[in-house]
Amino acid sequence: METPLTMMRTLLSFTALALALGSTAHAQAPAPAAAYPAKPIRLIVPFPPGGGTDILSRLVATKLTESAKWTVVADNRAGAGGTIGIGEAVKAAPTGYDLVMGQKDNLVIGPWLYKNLPWDPTKDLTAVAHVAYTPVVIATSANSKFKTLADVVAAAKAAPGTITYGSPGNGTSIHLAGDLFEKAAGIKLSHIPYKGSNPALMDALSGNVDLLMSSVPSAMAQIKSGKLRPLAVTSAKRSSSMPEVPTVSESGFKDFDVSTWYGVFAPAGTPATVVNVVNAEINKLLATPEMKAAIHAQGAEPEAMSAAQFNTLLKTDYAKWKGIVEASGAKIE
């Protein structure tokens, strides 16, 4: 029979053992993961500096750095209609530290335009946050004889194929907006593709091409300065940045509606927790008067979405634009 002293010693031994085991378990427990982001984030820009995608990308990077106190660095990786930059993002580790500013050109048109691209945007990327959308603006030099879209249509009907228009490249959504306008108006224009928005803009200003098809952000500075005359926008409703400029639909071509969108994507497999953090921060940013004003100043329309809503938009447009690309004949091998 145990004495009170023996019982006390036994109890103390068990207590010491329990404390030791608890201490060991605590020491071996994995440390919690560092909060995201724990290092700088690269935002790949798949187009050259100065275009609409670049402008919005740098705006997002700068404002996230200011408001969320993250370090976000915009990194231009241009070429092949934006598909090179997307390809680089697809290959990146799905950690949330390599993001890309995608848009309609490289995600829902490029895959139908370029033969055998090694990635599928609906499978190899994760939609993170929609940023903005913008119509295409049909513009001309301030010195041009064209004062309205009706002037262009009349001249094109009188001399088919003699009116030229520049775009950021063959098969971009902006080029295809021009192709769709030709079909809607029953006219024939001559498309001059450039390697980016700025070269097309410069030639339009100098009169080397009669018309410019451009995203509004790319052309806004020259429109504001009076050097470029906007004739129409291709969206269903007028641009809030240029409310005096009619839509193509208002100009006599009912139901014409072509816009492009911009948004942040991550490599497939990026953790949902990271996607949700980035989505929340960008949506918070888009709700601020300062960010709204900054995006409007570039001629774009800010629009927040959940990651799921943005993913649905990607898949819907991806299917829709296959037929448009095929009908245009704009194919790059």
Side-chain angles (χ1 to χ4, degrees), residues 5 57 71 101 110 186 235 246 253 258 263 280 306 314:
L5 181 59
S57 297
T71 300
M101 182 66 80
S235 48
F253 307 99
V258 180
S306 68
L314 169 67

Side-chain angles (χ1 to χ4, degrees), residues 143-304:
N143 300 321
S144 169
K145 64 182 180 181
F146 301 125
K147 308 299 182 185
T148 66
L149 198 60
D151 292 341
V152 173
V153 173
K157 286 186 175 180
T162 62
I163 308 299
T164 58
Y165 75 91
S167 83
N170 190 39
T172 60
S173 62
I174 293 171
H175 161 219
L176 295 179
D179 184 74
L180 290 170
F181 171 63
E182 287 183 66
K183 289 180 170 63
I187 59 175
K188 178 62 180 174
L189 303 174
S190 290
H191 173 227
I192 310 297
Y194 289 81
K195 293 182 178 179
S197 298
N198 272 354
L201 175 63
M202 293 300 104
D203 265 10
L205 290 172
S206 64
N208 289 335
V209 289
D210 298 306
L211 301 171
L212 173 70
M213 298 282 184
S214 172
S215 68
V216 176
S218 297
M220 181 55 74
Q222 299 299 336
I223 290 172
K224 285 182 175 179
S225 71
K227 295 179 181 178
L228 200 63
R229 178 187 300 130
L231 302 177
V233 292
T234 62
S235 48
K237 60 182 181 180
R238 296 192 181 198
S239 168
S240 60
S241 304
M242 302 184 297
E244 73 285 356
V245 179
T247 65
V248 171
S249 181
E250 289 173 326
S251 302
F253 307 99
K254 189 177 179 182
D255 299 327
F256 193 91
D257 181 14
V258 180
S259 297
T260 192
W261 46 254
Y262 305 83
V264 175
F265 291 81
T270 299
T273 50
V274 171
V275 171
N276 291 338
V277 167
V278 179
N279 178 272
E281 285 297 334
I282 290 179
N283 286 352
K284 188 189 303 181
L285 194 60
L286 293 175
T288 64
E290 182 184 7
M291 187 63 168
K292 286 180 179 178
I295 292 177
H296 281 143
Q298 298 303 328
E301 308 290 336
E303 184 177 34

Side-chain angles (χ1 to χ4, degrees), residues 8 21 72 79 110 130 206 242 251 257 263 305 321:
M8 180 61 72
L21 289 173
V72 184
H130 184 274
S206 64
M242 302 184 297
S251 302
D257 181 14
M305 293 183 184
W321 279 79

Side-chain angles (χ1 to χ4, degrees), residues 61-78:
T62 299
K63 295 301 182 182
L64 277 178
T65 299
E66 292 175 359
S67 66
K69 307 305 178 186
W70 297 355
T71 300
V72 184
V73 181
D75 184 18
N76 294 87
R77 288 288 185 265

